[in-house]
Amino acid sequence: MAKYNEFKNDDYLLTTNLLGMTNFTELEQAEAFTFSIRATQIEQGAYNIMAFSLTNFVGLHRHLFQDIYSFVGQFRKVIRTFAKYNI
């Protein structure tokens, strides 16, 4: 998950997660578990993706991560790092 670095992302996620988790490995596992449940809901039709518009993309993000983070569905200023290049 260490893909964002605006707030030293690991620390930021540990201090803002809704589960109160303080161990990053456990947070990753919880995120994967809740994501899979929400993704299954999409597959079963409990959440419909109407189109790939910005509004629907934000709604999808909110749906998938709503159990873990309060900031879901909002834009954050982040720096993506690939290999050794910042873009």
Side-chain angles (χ1 to χ4, degrees), residues 52-63:
F52 282 102
S53 66
L54 179 60
T55 301
N56 286 300
F57 179 75
V58 168
L60 175 62
H61 186 259
R62 185 179 303 113
H63 179 76

Side-chain angles (χ1 to χ4, degrees), residues 40-71:
T40 299
Q41 290 175 338
I42 293 169
E43 290 177 1
Q44 294 175 345
Y47 180 87
N48 294 316
I49 301 169
M50 300 302 198
F52 282 102
S53 66
L54 179 60
T55 301
N56 286 300
F57 179 75
V58 168
L60 175 62
H61 186 259
R62 185 179 303 113
H63 179 76
L64 291 171
F65 295 101
Q66 65 185 313
D67 304 301
I68 302 290
Y69 305 112
S70 61
F71 57 79

Side-chain angles (χ1 to χ4, degrees), residues 12-24:
Y12 178 71
L13 295 177
L14 285 174
T15 58
T16 60
N17 74 81
L18 298 173
L19 303 175
M21 295 190 152
T22 57
N23 179 285
F24 192 71

Side-chain angles (χ1 to χ4, degrees), residues 29-43 64:
Q29 292 170 348
E31 183 180 297
F33 179 72
T34 59
F35 180 94
S36 66
I37 291 171
R38 294 296 180 181
T40 299
Q41 290 175 338
I42 293 169
E43 290 177 1
L64 291 171

